[in-house]
Amino acid sequence: MGLKSCKTIDQSLTLNVQKDKLEILQQIPATQKGREKSALYLPPRRITDQEFNSPALRELIDNMYDLMVQKSGVGIAANQMGKRLQVFIIEAKSDNPRYKILGPVQKQVFINPIITKVSSTKKNFWHGCLSADGEKRGNVATYEWVEYQCQNENGAIITGRLEGFAAVIFQHEFKHLMNGTYLDVAKHYLSKKELDLEIEMNKIPFFETASDTLPLLIKGYSVGETLEKYHSKIFKNE
């Protein structure tokens, strides 16, 4: 009697979520072991045609959103909750305690996103992250505006342009799908207390035009390429 082969399914690549076990994955420094096994640092796959407009995809997105709101975040990517999927959400409510000074950002879901065009100018911003709990804020540059193409929950192709704070959040979450966090890019850091004091005293730039020396958050990504193309370059060079 022969034994049937049993292949273990990588749950990080499925839409399945266990609502009672949702948590935010935390960053792992490049000097520590474990990055090679964390969804934060592994390529996310595309959502397929068969998965659009499905209960499983809607449940995934609902759970992502609930977790983002619970943590008072303004964005969340699927791989932050252990799902290697090309999905992220942005939203900044007017009463968000962390970012209300920057104004509201409409809720939007981005699936299989591509950046199609960017501004020539960049903005200075000090980033924090749900996946960098307890870490200092990091100063990086993001494009002043971006144009994108993605799909919605039903699979329809969506195009648009984001400016201001919305563009910052979009690029922050897009960076997660590129793998990693702002901590892999930034060179200058301040605690939130230090940052708030420096901004209040007008000692440091905040949301102003960035110099060319400030690290770009999504450095390495070529405008117009899919995330699959980006990751094929990165992992080929490693």
Side-chain angles (χ1 to χ4, degrees):
M1 182 175 177
L3 294 176
K4 293 182 179 181
S5 61
C6 181
K7 187 176 181 180
T8 302
I9 298 175
D10 185 345
Q11 288 298 319
S12 70
L13 294 170
T14 73
L15 298 179
N16 302 332
V17 291
Q18 291 182 273
K19 191 170 184 179
D20 59 335
K21 294 185 178 180
L22 292 182
E23 61 180 14
I24 300 290
L25 296 186
Q26 294 301 305
Q27 63 86 28
I28 301 173
T31 55
Q32 293 184 14
K33 293 182 178 180
R35 282 168 66 109
E36 73 282 357
K37 297 180 180 180
S38 172
L40 273 177
Y41 303 96
L42 292 169
R45 71 165 177 85
R46 292 177 64 82
I47 298 301
T48 66
D49 291 343
Q50 294 74 24
E51 292 170 325
F52 285 108
N53 199 30
S54 67
L57 181 59
R58 287 194 291 272
E59 184 176 4
L60 170 74
I61 292 170
D62 287 346
N63 280 301
M64 286 175 60
Y65 182 72
D66 289 346
L67 188 57
M68 182 188 80
V69 172
Q70 176 189 331
K71 300 293 185 179
S72 298
V74 293
I76 189 169
N79 57 356
Q80 286 185 275
M81 49 180 266
K83 290 295 178 179
R84 293 170 53 194
L85 305 168
Q86 293 181 27
V87 183
F88 66 78
I89 305 171
I90 70 172
E91 181 189 49
K93 296 182 178 181
S94 58
D95 61 349
N96 186 289
R98 297 173 64 190
Y99 298 106
K100 61 182 178 181
I101 189 175
L102 295 170
V105 172
Q106 179 184 354
K107 178 185 177 183
Q108 293 175 261
V109 179
F110 299 88
I111 302 174
N112 302 336
I114 299 172
I115 297 175
T116 57
K117 193 173 182 180
V118 297
S119 61
S120 58
T121 53
K122 303 178 185 70
K123 284 288 189 178
N124 175 305
F125 197 82
W126 290 80
H127 287 246
C129 185
L130 297 180
S131 290
D133 189 31
E135 299 289 344
K136 292 184 176 183
R137 303 296 174 92
N139 193 18
V140 296
T142 51
Y143 292 107
E144 186 170 6
W145 57 260
V146 296
E147 293 183 1
Y148 64 85
Q149 175 183 298
C150 68
Q151 290 171 273
N152 65 14
E153 297 95 317
N154 297 320
I157 300 294
I158 304 295
T159 60
R161 175 176 169 135
L162 297 171
E163 302 178 353
F165 190 33
V168 173
I169 307 173
F170 176 96
Q171 291 169 82
H172 181 106
E173 301 309 324
F174 195 86
K175 167 59 181 173
H176 284 310
L177 299 190
M178 290 171 60
N179 295 154
T181 72
Y182 71 91
L183 294 169
D184 298 305
V185 180
K187 304 298 182 183
H188 299 96
Y189 302 92
L190 287 173
S191 69
K192 186 178 184 306
K193 183 177 181 180
E194 293 171 325
L195 178 60
D196 289 344
L197 181 60
E198 294 285 291
I199 292 174
E200 183 179 341
M201 298 177 68
N202 294 317
K203 287 188 175 182
I204 60 172
F206 179 75
F207 216 45
E208 297 177 359
T209 300
S211 70
D212 291 335
T213 60
L214 192 64
L216 178 65
L217 180 61
I218 58 172
K219 179 181 178 180
Y221 175 79
S222 298
V223 172
E225 70 182 357
T226 64
L227 285 161
E228 289 88 350
K229 178 67 175 178
Y230 166 78
H231 283 291
S232 70
K233 294 188 310 185
I234 298 303
F235 281 85
K236 181 179 179 180
N237 294 331
E238 288 186 351

